[in-house]
Amino acid sequence: MLARHWLLIAALLLPPGLARAADPPMTQDQAMALLHDGKRQEALHALDAIIAANPPDPTQALFAASQIDLQDGDWRSAKPFVKRLIKLRPASFQIWEMMVQVDQAAGDTEDCDLDIQSLHAAWQSATDPQIRSQIAFVRDHVTGPKHTLVAQQTFETGGDDSLRFLFQPLDEAGQARHLIVVQSDSATNERWRENGTIPYGTVVYHLDTTEQRADGQSVVRPYKYFLEPPGYDQVRAMVVAILAGTIKPLTGDPDPFWAGEPAK
């Protein structure tokens, strides 16, 4: 990692004429082909060289390199690239989504909140129907002994039946067999209102692990109830504890999928 940084710094410190004297060893399309072939490190080195050569439009290379860095947990390398992308594409939903992840990983709570505001504005102003159809954005990646989870936060929250956060294992991408969710449901709200636990108008959120079994049965294991909408950092700390196996559900045993030794 240090060697990569020194190469980038050396290239950027060259006089402008020398920095552009030779073409990059690859085009952006060739670097992307390496990435699609699963050659991540080769692709990253090629992308770094392209970015250092300062092409007229480095957007594709900056975006791809930022994605690789974020997937590798290297937010420090990703941040300057994403900042450059924001200058190039200030209304891009995908780029603001990456900046949210960068500042979340950096622990910059205030900046992350501002990023989410900019992301929300980009979502509302988008003309692409695919972006406008989004109901959530990727906020974070949470790594445990057995699984790395993609953490998503919904745009519109509130109401008796609503989803606030969803954590999905990368190794179950595209499936919904095991999830960690923070949600509200009308049955719980109505029951708690009727027995006087909460006043009418209060919405109860609960953090659950959900398991969709092969026989079609769904098993929900609640870990905590919230009488106010919980913040992300509070929820994340509980998710980390579930992955570590240091907390148990309110009733019954935890789903063994989440904690324990990784599969060999």
Side-chain angles (χ1 to χ4, degrees):
M1 189 62 67
L2 287 174
R4 177 192 166 201
H5 288 169
W6 279 114
L7 286 171
L8 273 173
I9 292 168
L12 291 172
L13 288 177
L14 287 172
L18 291 177
R20 297 180 178 84
D23 291 333
M26 288 189 183
T27 67
Q28 294 188 62
D29 288 341
Q30 288 172 327
M32 294 304 295
L34 284 175
L35 185 57
H36 293 152
D37 289 341
K39 301 175 181 178
R40 286 167 53 85
Q41 288 307 310
E42 290 180 45
L44 186 55
H45 288 313
L47 292 165
D48 284 342
I50 292 167
I51 293 166
N54 203 17
D57 184 3
T59 302
Q60 187 181 36
L62 287 166
F63 192 90
S66 300
Q67 281 190 316
I68 295 172
D69 286 332
L70 281 172
Q71 289 166 3
D72 291 345
D74 186 8
W75 63 265
R76 289 178 177 83
S77 293
K79 189 163 188 172
F81 290 165
V82 180
K83 282 186 171 181
R84 285 181 63 181
L85 281 167
I86 286 174
K87 290 181 180 179
L88 291 167
R89 302 286 189 273
S92 169
F93 176 91
Q94 293 90 345
I95 293 168
W96 278 111
E97 185 177 41
M98 285 203 299
M99 184 55 84
V100 169
Q101 295 170 59
V102 166
D103 283 331
Q104 177 65 49
D108 294 336
T109 303
E110 186 175 345
D111 284 347
C112 188
D113 289 341
L114 292 172
D115 298 338
I116 292 172
Q117 292 178 26
S118 296
L119 175 68
H120 195 273
W123 174 63
Q124 288 184 314
S125 63
T127 57
D128 185 339
Q130 286 190 330
I131 293 175
R132 289 296 297 132
S133 66
Q134 296 283 335
I135 62 171
F137 61 92
V138 175
R139 174 163 182 161
D140 195 8
H141 289 77
V142 183
T143 301
K146 287 176 69 175
H147 305 284
T148 294
L149 311 186
V150 178
Q152 297 182 62
Q153 178 173 329
T154 55
F155 283 113
E156 305 293 350
T157 59
D160 281 348
D161 290 286
S162 63
L163 177 66
R164 186 168 179 83
F165 302 111
L166 183 147
F167 298 80
Q168 183 171 26
L170 273 175
D171 48 330
E172 288 194 352
Q175 306 174 60
R177 291 188 300 162
H178 297 89
L179 300 171
I180 301 177
V181 298
V182 175
Q183 60 188 339
S184 65
D185 70 274
S186 55
T188 298
N189 287 321
E190 189 60 30
R191 184 172 67 253
W192 284 34
R193 289 164 184 162
E194 288 182 350
N195 65 23
T197 304
I198 59 172
Y200 278 86
T202 299
V203 174
V204 178
Y205 288 89
H206 40 96
L207 187 154
D208 313 316
T209 64
T210 68
E211 177 188 5
Q212 189 67 39
R213 292 180 172 172
D215 60 5
Q217 296 295 313
S218 181
V219 181
V220 178
R221 296 173 172 89
Y223 277 76
K224 186 174 180 62
Y225 290 91
F226 306 91
L227 300 187
E228 295 182 357
Y232 177 74
D233 290 338
Q234 179 185 11
V235 170
R236 190 187 196 279
M238 292 197 65
V239 171
V240 169
I242 290 172
L243 296 180
T246 56
I247 60 173
K248 294 184 177 181
L250 297 175
T251 58
D253 295 322
D255 181 350
F257 171 85
W258 296 107
E261 291 296 323
K264 300 295 184 181

